[in-house]
Amino acid sequence: MLAHYYEINEGVGVHKSPSLYGAFPTDPYSHTPNNKGAQQPGMTGQVKEDILSRFGELGVFVMNGCLYFNPCLLRKDEFTTQERVFRYVTIYNEHKSFSPVPGSLCFTVCQVPIVYRLATENYLEIEMKDGKINKQPSLYLSKEVSTHIFSRTGEISKITVFINQTMLK
């Protein structure tokens, strides 16, 4: 079923060339000034579908108000093989970057960096704003940590998700 999912996914959106797709834009657009509320819709339907699908592929889910990670659709070949720089913007509008180790994949959830790393077992490391790192033996975040992320309090500075690589294709 996973092979069929990726086969279908390759046939839509950003995976088609402009000549095949008819040169329709799939980039987000907005006419909303930074200092005002929404003026017009911000994205085309296809972009929304691509974003929602991608979070599903990354295995980012919420259950009972708690964030958890289950990257069962993710492929091993999406993880870096060489050192790179990951850039992001914090909730304080600060531009930051770091270099994750090879064998990583990075993205953000509510402006909190999430780093997936290949491992031999599943566990999480939650880095707090004071530098303290809390390790937990599952891929589920507590309600308290999830609330900090969703509320963008700044208490959580990074989450590293160690994924048993046998879970991936």
Side-chain angles (χ1 to χ4, degrees):
M1 189 159 76
L2 184 61
H4 289 295
Y5 169 82
Y6 279 108
E7 183 180 341
I8 291 166
N9 193 36
E10 291 295 322
V12 296
V14 297
H15 304 290
K16 283 188 176 180
S17 70
S19 61
L20 274 176
Y21 200 57
F24 290 105
T26 60
D27 290 333
Y29 68 90
S30 177
H31 301 287
T32 302
N34 190 26
N35 61 349
K36 288 189 174 186
Q39 304 295 303
Q40 291 185 15
M43 295 185 188
T44 65
Q46 184 60 54
V47 172
K48 289 177 197 171
E49 287 179 24
D50 288 345
I51 290 170
L52 292 174
S53 295
R54 186 61 179 153
F55 274 102
E57 291 168 10
L58 289 169
V60 178
F61 300 100
V62 178
M63 183 170 56
N64 298 323
C66 296
L67 192 62
Y68 73 98
F69 305 96
N70 181 14
C72 58
L73 294 177
L74 200 55
R75 298 178 285 193
K76 281 184 193 175
D77 65 2
E78 295 195 57
F79 287 75
T80 62
T81 56
Q82 56 192 1
E83 192 169 307
R84 295 188 177 191
V85 176
F86 179 72
R87 294 176 178 81
Y88 65 101
V89 179
T90 70
I91 61 163
Y92 306 109
N93 206 27
E94 301 167 321
H95 292 256
K96 291 195 171 188
S97 66
F98 62 89
S99 296
V101 299
S104 299
L105 184 150
C106 303
F107 57 97
T108 61
V109 172
C110 297
Q111 294 179 271
V112 173
I114 309 294
V115 180
Y116 278 3
R117 287 191 51 192
L118 297 173
T120 57
E121 61 181 306
N122 291 330
Y123 65 98
L124 293 169
E125 287 183 353
I126 303 160
E127 186 175 327
M128 309 303 286
K129 75 176 180 182
D130 64 5
K132 182 180 175 188
I133 296 177
N134 299 323
K135 183 178 175 180
Q136 63 183 68
S138 76
L139 299 183
Y140 288 79
L141 295 174
S142 69
K143 184 97 168 181
E144 179 184 4
V145 170
S146 298
T147 299
H148 281 304
I149 292 170
F150 297 143
S151 299
R152 299 176 190 242
T153 65
E155 291 297 315
I156 312 299
S157 60
K158 181 169 61 172
I159 296 177
T160 304
V161 181
F162 292 85
I163 300 168
N164 185 336
Q165 54 191 316
T166 60
M167 288 179 60
L168 308 175
K169 301 293 177 213

